[in-house]
Amino acid sequence: AAAAASAAAAGAGTGAAAAGGRSAAHEAAAAKLVFCTSSEERQTLPPGSTVFQAIQQMNTQQQAAAEGEEDGEEEQGQRRGRRLWDEIHTLYYRPVSATDTPTETASASGVVGGGRTSSLASAPSSSSTASSLGRWGNTPLRELLAPRVPSDLACTPTCREVLALLALLEAVNRLGPRACAELDAVGAGGPEEDSAGPLEAVRHVPRDEFVSAKLSSKLGQQLKDVLSICGGGMPSWCAALAAPCRFLFPFEIRKRYFYCTAFGLGRALQHMQQLHTAEAGGGPGAGHGAADRDGRELRVGRLQRQKVRVSRKRILESAAKVMELYARSRAVLELEYFGEVGTGLGPTLEFYTLLSHELQRRDLGMWRHEEQDDTQQGQQQLQREEASPGGGKEVKAMKEEESDEPEPEEEGRESGGVSALASPDRMDVDGNAAALPPPPPPLQPASSALQQRLSGPVASSAALSAVAGAGLSVPSRRGEAATHEEGEYVNAPWGLFPRPLPSAARSSTASLKVVEHFRLLGRTLAKALQDNRLLDLPLSHVFYAAALGSPLDLWDIARFDPGLGTTLAKLHSALAAYRAGGSSGKLLIDGVAVEDLCITFVLPGQPDYLLRPGGADVVVETAEQLEEYIGAVVDASMGSGIMAQMTAFREGFNEVFNLSMLSLFHEDEIEVLLCGSGERWTLQVLAEAIKFDHGYTANSPPVRFLLEILSELDAAEQRAFLRFVTGCPRLPPGGLTALQPRLTVVRKHPSGGEGPSNGPTPVGSFQDAGLAAAVCAADADLPSVMTCANYIKLPPYSSKGVMAARLMYAIREGQGSFDLS
């Protein structure tokens, strides 16, 4: 069936009007002119067409008129290609008149694939679908009754039926567990269903089983056609199938289509150049300047960059001003900090990391918070009691940061916290409100693996002091809480989801501030996607679904609040059983009458949120009240209670590019795009992903020490290492091998200039024996990094234990500033 769909859709799209590859920047206003290909106005052109599309249409017409020629097909194709560039093409236009039909003057939206009104939303309207499907119309299960099939795809009825069948099978595979939960809640399951076991265990197939290899290959080849992308001439089937039938294409192909169509021509060319460089260089680590098959270097125009300086102490206030001013700009945003000389990629990535952490502060009131139980609190208290403050002489590790275009710092005028520098593409941003610096970070105990690594013999006072203070201070939960008081960040183990705003307080200053923070969140997420930056923001998958306007129901609550979701599911099942039994007797829940549970019309967890006027004094006693209560909780949690926040988020996001473009992806794939992916580091993975240069090879003893240390890091230590080296605690999609530029380790000469490590690294000088008497001069030095190039300068330490101590000390003390240029 997938092969049939591939052939039919590809055949239908070959001769279709070119319409894909358009970005949000191409969106046109109301048409004032009508264009056509001839003076007789036989064929008018949609206002959304590009000049290249119009010429393609003219060539198609000429080709149809010349079908009777005797020339061979190859010769005709060559002549047509020459005519495209050698001949003069004439287009005719006139002002729009009152006699023109709306289709002629407003058909741009139907052809702008990838634009704000593209075919990504070509499924039937939600209102018409909801009305025709009854109670299922506003639930995710509506896909089982009305599969998403592109309405504007030019194909045969057989092809459309095959696509509908595939869409239905994919929906059953994805939504089957939810459907079974609904059936089980109303008691519709029989003995056969009970004996078959859980659906997700015996009937679920991997997502890749629905991928069409032929269609994926065809779309991949289409995305290599620079001319079609630049001219907006991609076939219409690309946009028609990419989102409604996203299951036909693998994630990598859809991601490539996303970057080639969502952000305009400049970003598309940059993305294609990066792919070309990686392919020409034979891997992700290929350097810039790769040449094509003819030996010519592929170069495109460089994107404009906007450099902004912010205050590290007031990240949230500074970020609000930066995004308000520059989120709409097509320029690449680069951040640096007051009082620090580092510029480039590293400080920019750390800015997004710091902002991600600031947006998770509990006092902002943005997110649902789950109080920790006694077990969690006891474990954290034990860790704090066991934490060692360290000792010895303090040595501060500094990050090195390279900039492609170093610029001297200049004084500027201050106005309202924003001071423009002398350079026209630079400015300073600082918050108006004064803020005290955060308290010094408490030291956390080292992991057991790290303690074992530090148990070996270490000499020199510097090395000993490093071992004493080698406890790695990593932020609790989300990366920054180690520098703040315990409990300052929200605890959302199932992902961040908006905290409902009570209707009575939605016009208050505090609520309006929460709404503005969600607007900032939308701008930040969109700008991060546009500039290809990573965030450290663990949003719930339900948040992405809500942002895209996907229907949600009672069963989605358990995905971000399992306790509340389980309770509501139990109430729903009891209500269904009561009504199935004829609504006679008392309504029992786990054998207890509902009125004895003292359930009031107050949102669980938020006593200030009343589900109805005077709800705190109204006890649920009847089936009708219980149904009202369940519906009110669901609406407050995922409907009216978060409507203002989600509206502000969408508005902020759409300022950068159209949020509907994310419908190309599943919720978990959106998280990968925004936050990257994790992986387990093994010696083999590290050896293949890291480049060793300038004094080191893969067989150098310090290199072997480093690989062993990195392979033994736990998740928190791995995040801290990544943030130290790259500025971001997460890896891009694809893991360490996808890091650009490639992670490189080079030899750092000892500062003392003495000892066996000064000069070519001797193989025999790194043995553990006898180190107490003769210590390598490099043992007193700390490693440094250039986050702009993912560059680690590693001294040739005498042993693995010394290297582990110095590396962890540098990671801990090197956070928070870029002090080297």
Side-chain angles (χ1 to χ4, degrees), residues 19-27 112-122 148 219 223 234 238-244 246 251 253-264 268 526 529-530 544 547-549 649-650 653-654 656-667 669-670 673:
R22 302 298 304 280
S23 70
H26 289 84
E27 183 185 10
V112 185
R116 295 181 185 267
T117 53
S118 69
S119 299
L120 296 184
S122 59
R148 295 201 310 169
L219 181 57
L223 292 174
M234 293 182 66
C238 299
L241 290 178
R246 60 191 177 190
F251 171 68
I253 293 295
R254 285 180 281 121
K255 184 178 72 170
R256 188 183 304 179
Y257 177 83
F258 171 74
Y259 281 111
C260 287
T261 60
F263 306 123
L529 283 171
Q530 186 183 60
Y544 299 125
L548 290 171
F649 173 83
R650 295 188 192 101
F653 197 104
N654 286 326
V656 184
F657 71 96
N658 199 323
L659 178 62
S660 65
M661 288 298 298
L662 292 184
S663 61
L664 286 163
F665 307 102
H666 299 278
E667 288 86 359
E669 294 172 338
I670 298 176
L673 282 177

Side-chain angles (χ1 to χ4, degrees), residues 226-286:
V226 181
L227 189 59
S228 293
I229 294 177
C230 294
M234 293 182 66
S236 58
W237 66 266
C238 299
L241 290 178
C245 299
R246 60 191 177 190
F247 54 85
L248 293 174
F249 307 98
F251 171 68
E252 288 299 326
I253 293 295
R254 285 180 281 121
K255 184 178 72 170
R256 188 183 304 179
Y257 177 83
F258 171 74
Y259 281 111
C260 287
T261 60
F263 306 123
L265 177 59
R267 307 281 180 153
L269 288 176
Q270 183 193 44
H271 180 71
M272 296 181 71
Q273 183 185 28
Q274 292 174 349
L275 291 177
H276 175 84
T277 301
E279 293 176 357

Side-chain angles (χ1 to χ4, degrees), residues 697-744:
T697 67
N699 297 322
S700 300
V703 167
R704 294 201 301 268
F705 296 157
L706 178 65
L707 296 184
E708 291 176 3
I709 292 171
L710 295 181
S711 66
E712 296 168 1
L713 297 180
D714 59 25
E717 293 169 348
Q718 189 180 106
R719 284 170 50 86
F721 171 79
L722 288 173
R723 183 175 175 185
F724 175 67
V725 175
T726 69
C728 178
R730 295 181 179 238
L731 287 171
L736 197 60
T737 57
L739 198 61
Q740 288 291 339
R742 187 178 182 183
L743 184 60
T744 303

Side-chain angles (χ1 to χ4, degrees), residues 85-120:
W85 304 107
D86 296 340
E87 295 184 358
I88 296 177
H89 307 275
T90 304
L91 297 178
Y92 299 86
Y93 65 94
R94 61 171 174 78
V96 173
S97 63
T99 59
D100 293 324
T101 61
T103 304
E104 293 178 353
T105 58
S107 58
S109 61
V111 299
V112 185
R116 295 181 185 267
T117 53
S118 69
S119 299
L120 296 184

Side-chain angles (χ1 to χ4, degrees), residues 600-602 609-620 625 628 632:
T600 58
F601 281 85
V602 175
Y609 197 117
L610 301 182
L611 300 176
R612 59 183 294 184
D617 301 323
V618 179
V619 179
V620 176
Q625 288 180 328
E628 179 188 356

Side-chain angles (χ1 to χ4, degrees), residues 456-478:
V458 181
S460 82
S461 59
L464 290 173
S465 64
V467 174
L472 181 60
S473 175
V474 295
S476 64
R477 260 202 63 72
R478 299 307 178 193

